[in-house]
Amino acid sequence: MEQQLDYAAVRAAADRIAGAVRPVTVIPAGREGVSYALEYLQHTGSFKARGARNFLAAHRAAGSLPDTGVTIASGGNAGLACAWAARAESVPATVFLPATAPRVKVERLRGYGADVRLVGDRYAEALAACREFAAASGALSSHAYDHPLIAAGAGTLLDEIRTALPGLDAVVVAVGGGGLFAGIAAAAREHGVRVIAAEPENCRALNAALEAGRPVDVTVDSVAADSLGATRVSADALTAVRAGNAESVLVPDGAITAARHALWEEHRIVVEAGAATALAALRTAPRPPGERVAVVLCGANTDPSDLGRAPA
């Protein structure tokens, strides 16, 4: 299937997934002009459900969703979303993970009906096994973020936020591999909304690509690495940040931890460090007075046991 990432693709995704995903809840943040988009309340606990559902629904409509189902190498939010979406489409999901993956992730994937294959002790080995399986079985190969259908599905979030916040000026999103950012930016350009792309200082795949002029491999070392630890950003994300309505912001790990803790203390909101990265960017680089800004809290698949302790 030939696909491109633009606003038409985002609108098509919205039509495909209507009624299948939860519309985002938007609430005041307690600071003038700032709101939180509570996407962590989405199915499977993250925005990834949107892209996964769009990806499979588009292939179903095109007649290219095989009986052997879909396969992905991911033990994180993308793997959970893929397994959930496959169950909804009544096709098998085969998810490859390193043998070192936490048992809780394995059990949750199995709870969605996935066939979990544990291979090697590194993600690269699981990915290689996933590709071999797809080639041998004919299963549809999915990706955590680097596909126009995945990004377009994620981008449906922007119009829902605009509906809740007429006159929206800017939206802040955390960036790992860039699927959420690229999709939201495609929709935001259509409406003159600015996008602030937030990354940890030591998980800066988008920022490094912007600096180098092309996607490049980066070192991953951050408290948010479990969800934002992509070693290379997608080409669509780099295109989006160059389009004129987006900016790249880096934040230190201390600010991320503090933002996550603040969400718990002030609102009793539990999110991943990756989701808190978006709020950290706003707290460290405030927007001009009078702007209407939405901060996307994109995922909550995390262990909350440390939230009772003040950040160091």
Side-chain angles (χ1 to χ4, degrees):
M1 295 173 62
E2 287 295 325
Q3 297 290 328
Q4 61 179 347
L5 181 58
D6 55 19
Y7 186 57
V10 175
R11 292 304 311 151
D15 290 340
R16 285 191 201 102
I17 68 176
V21 300
R22 295 170 179 154
V24 70
T25 296
V26 179
I27 65 168
R31 299 169 59 189
E32 184 179 357
V34 180
S35 298
Y36 293 144
L38 309 184
E39 184 62 2
Y40 66 88
L41 298 175
Q42 189 54 259
H43 292 290
T44 75
S46 87
F47 74 94
K48 296 283 189 181
R50 294 174 182 266
R53 195 66 192 266
N54 184 51
F55 180 78
L56 292 186
H59 278 281
R60 171 75 77 189
S64 53
L65 182 57
D67 291 339
T68 47
V70 62
T71 186
I72 191 170
S74 170
N77 292 337
L80 292 169
C82 181
W84 169 80
R87 185 177 67 179
E89 290 288 347
S90 300
V91 296
T94 306
V95 181
F96 286 81
L97 298 171
T100 53
R103 185 176 181 82
V104 64
K105 287 187 176 182
V106 173
E107 293 306 316
R108 192 166 181 205
L109 283 164
R110 287 176 175 153
Y112 283 124
D115 176 4
V116 180
R117 309 281 182 95
L118 302 175
V119 179
D121 58 6
R122 294 181 298 112
Y123 172 75
E125 293 172 277
L127 178 60
C130 178
R131 289 171 174 165
E132 289 176 10
F133 174 79
S137 68
L140 178 65
S141 184
S142 186
H143 196 279
Y145 58 86
D146 195 4
H147 192 285
L149 286 169
I150 298 291
T156 59
L157 186 57
L158 190 279
D159 279 347
E160 292 180 14
I161 295 172
R162 287 185 60 253
T163 297
L165 296 173
L168 179 69
D169 294 301
V171 60
V172 190
V173 298
V175 180
L180 176 63
F181 164 69
I184 282 182
R189 281 194 299 275
E190 186 75 10
H191 304 293
V193 174
R194 293 197 335 281
V195 186
I196 295 92
E199 294 177 285
E201 288 179 341
N202 295 320
C203 276
R204 53 183 291 266
L206 177 64
N207 185 268
L210 187 60
E211 187 177 89
R214 68 187 191 285
V216 292
D217 289 341
V218 297
T219 300
V220 170
D221 181 17
S222 168
V223 294
D226 61 333
S227 55
L228 301 184
T231 56
R232 179 178 287 235
V233 80
S234 72
D236 281 332
L238 178 57
T239 298
V241 79
R242 288 168 156 175
N245 69 316
E247 62 181 287
S248 169
V249 174
L250 298 178
V251 291
D253 274 6
I256 295 169
T257 301
R260 181 170 176 263
H261 189 78
L263 284 167
W264 170 247
E265 287 297 322
E266 296 170 15
H267 303 282
R268 284 304 187 253
I269 289 174
V270 179
V271 295
E272 302 166 14
T277 299
L279 177 58
L282 188 68
R283 285 160 60 100
T284 56
R287 299 293 99 194
E291 278 200 332
R292 302 199 74 184
V293 181
V295 179
V296 178
L297 302 180
C298 57
N301 290 316
T302 185
D303 180 353
S305 62
D306 61 342
L307 285 170
R309 303 190 301 269

